Amino acid sequence: LAVEPPARRLGASLFPIHCRGARCTCPSALLQLAWMGLGPHTTGPRRPWEKRMVLSDRSIKEELATGRIVIEPLGEGCIQPASVEGHLDRRVLVFRNSRRAYIDIREDMSDLTGMVEIDEDKPFMLHPGEFVLGSTLEHIELPDDLVARLEGKSSLGRLGLLIHSTAGYVDPGWKGHLTLELSNVSNLPITLYYNMRIGQISYLRLTSPAENLYGSEELGSKYQGQTDPTASRMYRDFVDNRR
């Protein structure tokens, strides 16, 4: 690997004293090189320090311009320093506790939920301890070498509104509207309005393009192309071993 040893370029503290930097094959050096994008598997035309980095507003705009990232619609002023703001769509999937005695993850529980719509001039009231599924207004698409992270807005989090429990990670190849796992952990109801700013999406570059994209036949992806809040399809794992 024809690069100056990072121990000399970036400071010897990055590597053990016995290490020969970029030319060393000890585990400590390989781990550090992988973090920096300088390992033996570094490929592609990008500069090494651009590997595995969070995209800035400048990079997000570049990816949008080339069509590698798709966000539709993209509102004015929604691109932040290192993320893009997402908005709440009209439809909300609510749970009807009277339909089932318990949730069995091996069964199709679609009859446990029902769809409601947020009015133009009236909010949806999310009560304390309540959990519903929402959706981003935006249709989102990712290329083969980027992943995305969905995070809640700080101002909403300080009121007790959580927008996802575990589903904040978006795979390469994803296409669709992101489902939001909305819960109220405060002691008072929280109002949800159609088209309100609900979260932010950041993008991270992979060390190399993914071999199997989300939605590919090999993976049997459950949620590709969804347009509305989508209930869990966990039961499929017990039917056909899809993930």
Side-chain angles (χ1 to χ4, degrees):
L1 185 62
V3 297
E4 182 70 8
R8 277 180 274 171
R9 291 190 300 110
L10 301 178
S13 61
L14 288 173
F15 294 92
I17 192 169
H18 66 273
C19 190
R20 291 173 291 141
R23 297 182 179 86
C24 187
T25 59
C26 75
S28 298
L30 291 177
L31 181 61
Q32 182 64 41
L33 288 168
W35 183 86
M36 295 165 58
L38 296 173
H41 300 295
T42 298
T43 60
R46 298 184 182 88
R47 295 184 294 266
W49 53 86
E50 291 180 323
K51 291 291 185 179
R52 300 182 66 185
M53 296 293 181
V54 177
L55 268 58
S56 67
D57 54 357
R58 185 193 306 270
S59 296
I60 290 172
K61 292 175 183 178
E62 291 173 353
E63 299 285 8
L64 285 167
T66 60
R68 283 170 34 80
I69 288 178
V70 174
I71 305 175
E72 297 176 347
L74 178 60
E76 183 177 355
C78 288
I79 299 179
Q80 299 299 306
S83 64
V84 179
E85 289 187 317
H87 299 73
L88 180 63
D89 206 349
R90 189 182 305 278
R91 293 191 170 186
V92 177
L93 203 59
V94 299
F95 287 78
R96 297 169 175 170
N97 298 338
S98 60
R99 295 291 181 89
R100 298 266 186 163
Y102 61 91
I103 295 176
D104 189 338
I105 62 173
R106 298 173 301 176
E107 296 183 12
D108 182 2
M109 307 293 288
S110 57
D111 64 335
L112 185 64
T113 57
M115 195 77 71
V116 299
E117 291 194 2
I118 303 175
D119 295 332
E120 287 285 349
D121 55 348
K122 293 182 180 179
F124 177 90
M125 304 295 294
L126 188 65
H127 294 274
E130 191 173 9
F131 175 80
V132 301
L133 298 178
S135 180
T136 59
L137 178 65
E138 293 81 7
H139 171 89
I140 295 164
E141 297 184 14
L142 291 178
D144 61 359
D145 62 344
L146 291 177
V147 298
R149 294 287 307 182
L150 175 66
E151 300 294 347
K153 293 187 65 64
S154 172
S155 296
L156 296 178
R158 298 178 194 199
L159 297 174
L161 178 63
L162 308 182
I163 72 164
H164 73 78
S165 302
T166 60
Y169 180 82
V170 190
D171 278 304
W174 165 267
K175 296 180 181 180
H177 295 242
L178 299 175
T179 290
L180 307 170
E181 302 162 338
L182 301 166
S183 58
N184 180 359
V185 297
S186 75
N187 296 322
L188 296 170
I190 298 175
T191 55
L192 300 178
Y193 292 90
Y194 167 64
N195 202 28
M196 66 180 284
R197 297 189 179 191
I198 196 68
Q200 50 197 26
I201 304 166
S202 60
Y203 296 88
L204 300 89
R205 200 178 303 281
L206 298 177
T207 55
S208 63
E211 185 174 357
N212 291 315
L213 300 182
Y214 190 89
S216 63
E217 185 177 351
E218 293 83 358
L219 297 181
S221 306
K222 303 184 187 78
Y223 307 105
Q224 183 74 309
Q226 64 186 19
T227 58
D228 290 323
T230 305
S232 173
R233 294 171 177 167
M234 180 72 180
Y235 69 93
R236 289 188 180 180
D237 289 355
F238 298 90
V239 175
D240 55 12
N241 290 322
R242 290 182 177 178
R243 290 181 292 174

